[in-house]
Amino acid sequence: IYVLFFLYNLIIEIYNICLRSDQMISKDIAVLTEEMMDLLPHLVKLLFHNTNNNEKTHLLPSTHLRVLLTLMKYGTMSVTHIAEHMEIQRQQLTKVLESLSNSNLICRKENPFNRRLILIEITDEGEKYIKNLIRKKAERISEFLESLSDEEKDILVRAITILKNYAVIKKE
């Protein structure tokens, strides 16, 4: 899922470079950028929306999912650290945290070393929700991957590696 966010940022950056560049952008790069822009909504739909009409599960907005995934990966965090990690404003995050807390997917804890600092922790229910979501999405993605040839799988692995490497370099 994190790769998707990095892919999105990469696509937007390439697109913006193409728009404002005084240099002549290669036609291949422009076409590739356009293809990536066209692909992104489909990836978002695959990962963040219910695609099975028979499923009764409620899917949270992507920002809510990102908070839960961040807490799953890094454990208990302060509001400031979550906001910095996700690169969003604290004010925006506060509303998301309130919603997640009301749904019993996260809980707020007082920092034992600094009572003014509130820590956010994913609840057992939140972990269960995310693990179930990941399992369902992994099943859908596995079905797709099984349909690929070995050569297509190799190409996909190389493309994901390139995107991950770009994302890591960009973050630093």
Side-chain angles (χ1 to χ4, degrees):
I1 291 179
Y2 284 108
V3 172
L4 177 64
F5 292 111
F6 295 129
L7 174 62
Y8 174 77
N9 289 330
L10 172 65
I11 293 168
I12 295 301
E13 189 164 318
I14 293 170
Y15 184 73
N16 286 334
I17 289 169
C18 290
L19 286 179
R20 61 175 186 244
S21 178
D22 293 335
Q23 305 170 1
M24 193 65 176
I25 300 294
S26 154
K27 186 176 180 180
D28 291 341
I29 292 175
V31 169
L32 181 60
T33 302
E34 188 173 321
E35 289 295 322
M36 290 172 72
M37 293 289 285
D38 288 343
L39 174 64
L40 189 63
H42 300 289
L43 290 173
V44 170
K45 185 176 181 180
L46 174 67
L47 294 173
F48 295 112
H49 300 300
N50 282 339
T51 51
N52 182 350
N53 293 331
N54 297 328
E55 276 185 29
K56 299 293 184 197
T57 54
H58 171 69
L59 196 59
L60 295 170
S62 61
T63 306
H64 292 59
L65 293 174
R66 286 181 61 204
V67 168
L68 293 175
L69 288 165
T70 299
L71 291 171
M72 286 269 301
K73 185 173 183 177
Y74 298 106
T76 303
M77 298 173 77
S78 70
V79 175
T80 301
H81 285 119
I82 296 171
E84 287 172 356
H85 179 78
M86 292 179 53
E87 299 177 353
I88 63 174
Q89 298 293 318
R90 278 185 56 138
Q91 296 82 356
Q92 180 186 2
L93 182 60
T94 300
K95 292 178 183 180
V96 172
L97 294 176
E98 187 67 32
S99 173
L100 290 170
S101 181
N102 290 341
S103 300
N104 197 33
L105 298 173
I106 63 162
C107 64
R108 300 168 196 261
K109 298 173 96 176
E110 196 174 89
N111 185 331
F113 304 108
N114 181 352
R115 292 181 169 209
R116 294 175 296 157
L117 187 63
I118 301 296
L119 298 175
I120 307 299
E121 183 175 77
I122 191 166
T123 62
D124 290 341
E125 191 174 328
E127 280 192 39
K128 186 176 172 182
Y129 176 88
I130 287 296
K131 286 178 181 176
N132 186 44
L133 177 67
I134 290 171
R135 182 186 53 76
K136 286 180 182 178
K137 296 303 176 180
E139 287 171 3
R140 286 192 40 79
I141 292 169
S142 291
E143 289 172 11
F144 161 71
L145 294 175
E146 287 173 5
S147 71
L148 297 178
S149 69
D150 288 343
E151 182 182 350
E152 290 171 324
K153 289 175 191 172
D154 289 341
I155 292 168
L156 187 57
V157 166
R158 287 196 313 264
I160 289 171
T161 301
I162 290 167
L163 293 170
K164 278 185 171 180
N165 290 339
Y166 173 82
V168 169
I169 291 169
K170 191 70 179 158
K171 279 273 193 194
E172 296 171 353

